[in-house]
Amino acid sequence: MSGIESVDTLIIDLPTIRPHVLAMATMHHQSIVLVRIRDTDGVEGVGEGTTIGGFSYCEESPESTKLAIDDYMAATLIGRDPAQVGAIMADIARQVVGNHMAKCAVETALLDLLGKRLGLPVSELIGGGRRRDRLPVAWTLASGDTTKDIEEAERVLAERRHNIFKLKIGKREVREDVAHVAAIKRALGDRASVRVDVNQGWSEAKAHLGMRLLQEADIDLVEQPIRGKNLAGMTRLSAAHGIPLMADEALRGPGDAFAVASTAGARVFALKIAQAGGLHAAHAVATIATAAGIGLYGGTMLEAGVGTAASAQLFSVLPDLEWGTELFGSLLVKEDILAEPLRYADFHLEVPTGPGLGIALDEDRIEFYRRDRPRSPAQSIPAKV
């Protein structure tokens, strides 16, 4: 019987194609933690731990994720049977509180390893197997400039890459933000769905105004307008407005999902494997939502290729995905770390079908972009064609 022989982590800093403006930060690069777990037979599983904007989004960062895995989780992994994913993750949960991004990265690597050993995609190891091979994918417009955002939306529409758009708002005054969103919706008309993400940027009073104005502008969805801990406020907002409220930062695992569902705090859940604490935890969140009649949206922490592929494997098994997905993180970075890029076509992402996550890594790009490799800012790895 093989056992886990090594656990390696490294931080990789990937520049983005443009500044990505959120309510709490502006991103110019995405930092991911790549986890590689190898067994004594030489089979390797990979996982990704990613958050948004360092510590500005939540209590985890790339640095804390790497530390949690290296100093607290690796010892539990060494020597274990890699097929016992549930037992290993249960032991880690008892020893490490929180740290959902780190747990997700480790569980993803274990599932990738197991899938490779069995010759099966990860989707066949969770939730009864996949139900779909393609996922509709939204694109986030986050420059903050109305003209630029319209031009960007028109371009990706023409390329048949996305016809769902989410706008990041919350930094400006409510009426100014809504005017920006409404102008984009008018330009796109019925050719696309337009939604907004406030990233907890409004007070409850501002959220009541914003949701009313957004509904008048024919916007389809409002994501996390107020603090995720304010469940009573979310319930009041959901009850007061016809435009659906989607919970995101309020969902840090199945327990939070149950609390939001039981208080009618949202009509849609943004499902994120990293935020939930792994693929199995995210599947539990989805099960709670489905039982409560809450719609599902496949969310992202702006993961690069590894985390995007892992999310796609889970989302492919869900019985219903009414609001599509947001798995565009691999397109936001200038260069991903996959040997072959994920395939986006006809407004969808194709779910990889190979064993495990169905992906392979580009070792040259990993070496170039790893944080601990000294290099000049002027250096650039040539794009592969």
Side-chain angles (χ1 to χ4, degrees):
M1 184 193 314
S2 69
I4 295 173
E5 185 174 62
S6 63
V7 180
D8 296 306
T9 64
L10 63 154
I11 298 175
I12 301 172
D13 296 315
L14 298 173
T16 56
I17 59 175
R18 55 152 166 79
H20 195 71
V21 182
L22 305 99
M24 81 293 290
T26 298
M27 295 172 52
H28 296 275
H29 70 276
Q30 179 58 297
S31 297
I32 69 172
V33 179
L34 182 67
V35 182
R36 311 180 81 155
I37 297 177
R38 184 180 293 268
D39 69 14
T40 52
D41 292 331
V43 181
E44 181 181 81
V46 298
E48 177 183 338
T50 302
T51 185
I52 300 170
F55 274 128
S56 66
Y57 180 81
C58 68
E59 64 277 5
E60 294 182 69
S61 70
E63 298 78 14
S64 71
T65 296
K66 185 178 190 306
L67 182 145
I69 296 170
D70 290 347
D71 291 4
Y72 293 91
M73 300 183 187
T76 301
L77 291 160
I78 298 298
R80 299 290 292 271
D81 178 358
Q84 303 299 314
V85 178
I88 293 172
M89 294 311 300
D91 286 345
I92 287 176
R94 283 191 288 269
Q95 297 162 13
V96 179
V97 175
N99 288 277
H100 283 191
M101 282 69 174
K103 289 173 179 173
C104 178
V106 168
E107 186 192 56
T108 297
L110 289 171
L111 288 168
D112 183 42
L113 195 160
L114 179 59
K116 288 172 179 174
R117 290 190 66 91
L118 297 175
L120 294 172
V122 166
S123 59
E124 306 312 297
L125 306 178
I126 50 177
R130 73 173 61 188
R131 300 178 182 225
R132 57 185 67 84
D133 294 315
R134 302 194 314 153
L135 302 168
V137 179
W139 178 252
T140 292
L141 301 171
S143 75
D145 183 291
T146 304
T147 301
K148 287 182 179 179
D149 281 352
I150 291 173
E151 291 173 352
E152 188 174 312
E154 292 286 5
R155 175 177 57 80
V156 298
L157 265 173
E159 295 171 354
R160 295 187 60 80
R161 208 178 74 185
H162 308 278
N163 58 4
I164 304 169
F165 297 100
K166 190 170 82 172
L167 280 75
K168 293 288 188 177
I169 63 173
K171 273 193 169 183
R172 299 178 286 201
E173 289 300 316
V174 174
R175 292 184 184 276
E176 185 180 356
D177 262 339
V178 173
H180 166 66
V181 174
I184 294 171
K185 176 59 182 175
R186 285 194 301 271
L188 299 180
D190 294 333
R191 294 177 295 152
S193 172
V194 176
R195 300 112 181 244
V196 300
D197 184 3
V198 191
N199 284 125
Q200 310 179 92
W202 287 341
S203 66
E204 187 176 341
K206 289 181 178 180
H208 276 290
L209 171 63
M211 291 180 72
R212 176 175 62 82
L213 295 175
L214 288 166
Q215 183 170 347
E216 292 173 359
D218 201 26
I219 304 306
D220 294 329
L221 187 70
V222 179
E223 182 174 350
Q224 203 64 60
I226 63 174
R227 300 297 297 179
K229 293 182 179 179
N230 185 2
L231 293 186
M234 290 172 60
T235 300
R236 288 189 289 268
L237 287 166
S238 290
H241 300 281
I243 185 171
L245 186 154
M246 178 163 72
D248 177 10
E249 286 90 344
L251 301 172
R252 299 301 175 98
D256 287 347
F258 182 82
V260 175
S262 63
T263 57
R267 298 181 196 170
V268 184
F269 278 4
L271 188 64
K272 297 180 177 179
I273 62 170
Q275 198 158 267
L279 279 74
H280 285 101
H283 188 267
V285 171
T287 301
I288 291 168
T290 300
I294 295 171
L296 287 173
Y297 176 69
T300 181
M301 295 295 284
L302 298 179
E303 292 99 340
V306 176
T308 298
S311 296
Q313 294 288 337
L314 172 64
F315 299 160
S316 74
V317 313
L318 301 178
D320 186 44
L321 204 57
E322 178 183 357
W323 293 89
T325 77
E326 192 182 339
L327 298 181
F328 70 90
S330 187
L331 298 172
L332 185 62
V333 294
K334 289 182 178 178
E335 295 176 318
D336 207 341
I337 58 170
L338 301 185
E340 295 291 337
L342 298 172
R343 178 171 169 75
Y344 294 85
D346 292 325
F347 308 119
H348 287 75
L349 165 65
E350 296 181 6
V351 184
T353 58
L357 295 178
I359 57 172
L361 300 179
D362 184 320
E363 299 295 345
D364 291 337
R365 294 190 185 201
I366 290 172
E367 185 63 25
F368 181 82
Y369 286 112
R370 59 186 298 165
R371 182 177 293 183
D372 57 5
R373 175 183 179 269
R375 62 181 179 274
S376 164
Q379 288 179 293
S380 178
I381 189 169
K384 292 193 174 182
V385 296

